[in-house]
Amino acid sequence: MVVLLAVSSVCALSLGTPYVPPHRLVAAVLDGDTTLAGIVVTELRVPRLVLALVAGACLGAAGLVLQEALRNPLAVPEMLGVSSGAALGVAAPLVLSLSLPAAVQPMLAIGGAALGGGLTLLAAGLGRSPSAVLLTGAAVAAALQAALLVLMVMADQLDLQLIYRYLLGSLSARTWDDVAGLWPWLLVAAPALVLCAPVLSVMRLGDEDAEALGVRAQRARLAALAIAVVLIAPVTAVCGPVAWVGFLAPHLARWFDPAAGAVRWLPWSAVWGAVAVVVADLPARLALAPVETPAGAWTALLGVPAGVALMRSGGRGRAARRRPAAAAAVREPLPGPRKAASGAADDLSRARASDDVSADAPGRGRIDDGCPPSSGATRTEDVR
Amino acid sequence: MIRRFTVLAALAVVCAGVELVAGRGMSPGAAWDVLNGGGDPTERHILFQLRLPRLLVALVAGACLAVAGLVLQSALRNPLAGPEVTGVTPGAVLGAVTATALGLAGWDSPLAVVLAACAGGCVGAALLWLLAGRGRGDPAHTAVHGVLVSAVLGGLTAMVLLVEPGELGSVVQWLVGTTEGRVWQHWHLLWPWALVWGVAAWLLAGPLTLLRCGDDIALAAGLSARPARTLALLCAVALTAGAVAAVGALGFVGLLVPHLAVAVFGADLRVSLPGAALVGAVVVCGADAAAQLSSRLLAGALDSGRLTLPVGALTACLGAALLLVVVRRTPSRTF
């Protein structure tokens, strides 16, 4: 873990054009502005590395907070509409060619992210089942994406390239200024994270138990969302929505230490997020040189399969996963999607498809002339 | 049943009429003149070479997507299956984009684009099959994994687009789904494809109705479930690929229209498959007409000639709203 981080950092600093051998790195940094290598390392590569570390840590921590608060292994910023909202907040002024001061950009991103996440949670209802939240989130994210694409269609070719690169999440050409813009937000978010970690471990137990222990579940959830928004939005404003890091990092943290609680996972998740972004940034810089590919595309490509594999292996050996014992639920490394959705499976396999989703669809009263609303099952030849 | 079909057909005609007269090129009055045999050559060209094929393509693509969604939902017994969430649509987009970038297929060889989209759709479906693993029988699980598959395929598409950025402008319209600039060429390619696979889907309607009841019942009725399901999936992929190659990735049509169709026509697919095709055509055509109208109004209001509203944005918003309503209104059920 530490070795991986060190190796990828050294690679990030030394590879590229010009190639700076690792043993000369220190000298190059000390030289500063006098040599070409020094300038490249201090002004380009170090800030990029720092930004990758910070962004990854933020995304990883935010992912864990969301997953724990919603008790849902797939509650990631991408699926809840948080990322899309933030991206929309940043891209809109770009297309509409409004010139804004740089300080406003994170604000816009935060507004967008809060809008997306808040919409999802409001629409899904706070105490609803995990998969309902996810489906709602997918819908909200899709709507926001559609808005983004409308913006992109309106843009001219040059803007389009810019926006597209930004939307994929890229760390290219970021300097110390971008890194400096992140600090104030981190100062807000870090104490909040520390404060909310114990609450998160209680949230695992389920809403009733948490309420019994004196945690207001709804408020805790909203607070978790707010923290996640404050963590994600500034990062998105600076380097675009680097996708799926918030999905991969918490799963890595859990996989390596399945017995721990949320308090222990939080730092690990942040570190793994940092590692993921730094590692993904290497092929992003070097794979198709001299063209830079966006790091976000690499994290999506490699992160999603890896995360799913981890989720599966974590779910293995839990034959008794439907045992409703609270103790088992606490001991489980993570409630895999099957568990999250097992209730859904039972319900939906019992109910016919048509009966289930469209029985309450709007307009049905108008379409079904004279059918009482409860007659879905009779109409759909339910055989069970 | 007959009455419902009639009402829907009437709706389709109304949508088509609105689509013909909406839009920015000329006023509705001028369009009416052209339809009555008048008008100058430009107006005639706009109506017969641009609006008419666009209308037909929208109708057929909507029908294709809806039928594909219904076939998928029935074959997988999963109310949340649709081309968008089973990786078929993103796969088709990836296939088409890759083929275009590699120079194997261009906009001048539309058939190659369709075939590439078909291959991509199969790849997407296969990827979901691998990724979902043992939880395949579980609707929500499959849907969620479908979103993940879409993310991977989207990443790949992004890579391809970044290596070959020349096509970005035209492809972006296509990522969201649009009927802008569809001409007779697209229509000549789309309708035979849709007809062949649509007829295949309709022939499969009986087996699919059995599959909806569950494998045991299908087996008891003398249907071998696995080949039937494979054929049905192939059919759905082909239909989706045709629609994607023609109009791009329209959001949510294939997921929600089948539910509407089943609500209206019942669960017997021999009736509700044609019904779904009709509903899909109405939805996409209506959305396109609305998009045209609103583009016109917005362009007038904001005074910018570049502003167009792609139909895919509208269907995505509409579908998202519907999905939210559905999720909200079933509080007793955990999805």
Side-chain angles (χ1 to χ4, degrees):
Chain A
M1 153 93 223
V2 176
V3 173
L4 187 65
L5 190 57
V7 167
S8 54
S9 304
V10 170
C11 285
L13 289 179
S14 63
L15 293 178
T17 336
Y19 169 66
V20 183
H23 57 267
R24 296 228 190 107
L25 271 178
V26 180
V29 173
L30 291 178
D31 286 347
D33 312 345
T34 49
T35 60
L36 176 70
I39 292 175
V40 167
V41 171
T42 51
E43 292 301 311
L44 294 174
R45 288 184 194 167
V46 173
R48 188 167 175 156
L49 176 70
V50 172
L51 185 65
L53 288 171
V54 172
C58 282
L59 290 171
L64 186 82
V65 168
L66 282 175
Q67 288 182 18
E68 290 294 321
L70 299 174
R71 288 202 311 282
N72 187 337
L74 286 163
V76 285
E78 285 78 19
M79 287 240 202
L80 294 177
V82 175
S83 291
S84 325
L88 185 63
V90 176
L94 232 172
V95 175
L96 306 172
S97 51
L98 308 168
S99 56
L100 295 166
V104 180
Q105 227 179 24
M107 283 301 200
L108 277 172
I110 284 192
L115 176 85
L119 255 180
T120 302
L121 284 193
L122 274 180
L126 287 167
R128 297 293 302 281
S129 69
S131 36
V133 177
L134 277 187
L135 283 173
T136 317
V140 170
L144 290 169
Q145 287 282 2
L148 261 176
L149 281 160
V150 173
L151 284 178
M152 288 169 76
V153 171
M154 283 162 54
D156 52 32
Q157 196 70 21
L158 200 68
D159 277 347
L160 190 61
Q161 294 269 357
L162 259 174
I163 295 176
Y164 198 71
R165 282 187 168 273
Y166 163 78
L167 284 183
L168 291 169
S170 160
L171 297 165
S172 62
R174 300 287 183 264
T175 53
W176 285 114
D177 303 345
D178 297 308
V179 181
L182 282 177
W183 291 124
W185 300 106
L186 283 184
L187 286 179
V188 175
L193 267 180
V194 174
L195 286 175
C196 84
V199 178
L200 284 182
S201 12
V202 177
M203 292 286 286
R204 279 229 93 149
L205 301 172
D207 280 8
E208 289 87 355
D209 296 356
E211 298 268 359
L213 289 169
V215 175
R216 291 197 184 90
Q218 305 285 28
R219 276 194 205 181
R221 246 186 226 118
L222 277 178
L225 181 75
I227 291 169
V229 163
V230 172
L231 279 170
I232 292 166
V235 172
T236 307
V238 172
C239 48
V242 182
W244 302 101
V245 175
F247 172 64
L248 180 64
H251 284 296
L252 275 169
R254 288 199 189 101
W255 193 73
F256 277 98
D257 195 0
V263 183
R264 289 272 303 282
W265 284 332
L266 197 58
W268 281 111
S269 178
V271 174
W272 276 117
V275 172
V277 177
V278 172
V279 171
D281 199 30
L282 283 179
R285 277 176 52 210
L286 308 172
L288 299 173
V291 181
E292 277 221 6
T293 47
W298 288 99
T299 51
L301 276 186
L302 308 172
V304 175
V308 172
L310 288 174
M311 217 158 60
R312 284 258 204 87
S313 64
R316 197 162 295 150
R318 290 193 287 111
R321 65 167 190 274
R322 299 199 179 194
R323 209 175 44 214
V330 177
R331 267 208 317 276
E332 274 168 3
L334 66 141
R338 262 174 261 115
K339 179 173 189 312
S342 62
D346 298 349
D347 258 2
L348 285 182
S349 53
R350 264 202 297 278
R352 304 266 2 101
S354 49
D355 178 25
D356 189 82
V357 177
S358 60
D360 293 295
R364 194 186 140 227
R366 274 185 287 114
I367 298 163
D368 278 348
D369 27 14
C371 272
S374 60
S375 66
T378 55
R379 269 187 310 108
T380 52
E381 305 165 6
D382 198 339
V383 291
R384 294 190 174 213
Chain B
M1 214 44 86
I2 301 286
R3 196 186 335 158
R4 291 174 189 178
F5 269 111
T6 323
V7 169
L8 268 177
L11 261 179
V13 170
V14 169
C15 286
V18 172
E19 166 128 39
L20 272 185
V21 297
R24 259 183 290 175
M26 52 191 187
S27 64
W32 185 246
D33 276 348
V34 174
L35 284 176
N36 287 332
D40 58 21
T42 316
E43 287 171 344
R44 293 185 72 80
H45 179 86
I46 288 177
L47 194 74
F48 292 120
Q49 302 299 320
L50 297 174
R51 282 191 192 174
L52 200 58
R54 173 179 178 151
L55 158 77
L56 291 171
V57 165
L59 283 172
V60 174
C64 278
L65 281 173
V67 169
L70 188 55
V71 168
L72 273 176
Q73 286 177 10
S74 307
L76 301 175
R77 298 192 63 226
N78 182 345
L80 298 175
E84 301 87 359
V85 288
T86 46
V88 178
T89 300
V93 170
L94 174 66
V97 170
T98 312
T100 312
L102 293 178
L104 298 176
W107 302 116
D108 47 351
S109 57
L111 183 64
V113 175
V114 177
L115 290 178
C118 221
C122 288
V123 168
L127 199 60
L128 176 71
W129 195 249
L130 289 173
L131 203 66
R134 285 166 307 162
R136 269 173 223 145
D138 178 344
H141 181 205
T142 312
V144 166
H145 277 77
V147 177
L148 297 178
V149 169
S150 307
V152 176
L153 293 168
L156 274 170
T157 309
M159 290 280 190
V160 173
L161 282 179
L162 283 164
V163 178
E164 290 281 335
E167 291 286 345
L168 191 59
S170 56
V171 168
V172 163
Q173 289 229 349
W174 209 61
L175 292 178
V176 64
T178 175
T179 50
E180 294 285 326
R182 298 291 170 254
V183 287
W184 286 113
Q185 216 181 2
H186 297 99
W187 164 246
H188 293 321
L189 189 80
L190 180 63
W191 76 260
W193 183 268
L195 189 70
V196 168
W197 289 105
V199 167
W202 194 65
L203 291 177
L204 282 171
L208 277 173
T209 313
L210 277 178
L211 279 180
R212 277 180 88 96
C213 303
D215 282 10
D216 307 348
I217 300 220
L219 280 172
L223 173 77
S224 44
R226 188 173 285 252
R229 183 168 290 137
T230 314
L231 275 175
L233 290 180
L234 183 69
C235 214
V237 170
L239 280 170
T240 310
V244 167
V247 297
L250 285 177
F252 283 109
V253 175
L255 180 63
L256 289 166
V257 168
H259 291 297
L260 277 177
V262 170
V264 179
F265 296 104
D268 184 354
L269 292 197
R270 284 166 303 183
V271 180
S272 53
L273 259 184
L278 205 52
V279 178
V282 168
V283 166
V284 173
C285 188
D288 198 25
Q292 287 268 59
L293 265 176
S294 50
S295 312
R296 181 175 178 171
L297 297 175
L298 280 174
L302 300 178
D303 200 26
S304 73
R306 274 206 327 227
L307 186 73
T308 54
L309 188 66
V311 61
L314 214 75
T315 56
C317 290
L318 198 77
L322 259 177
L323 197 61
L324 291 185
V325 170
V326 169
V327 174
R328 284 294 287 175
R329 293 200 36 183
T330 47
S332 57
R333 278 217 181 77
T334 50
F335 261 89

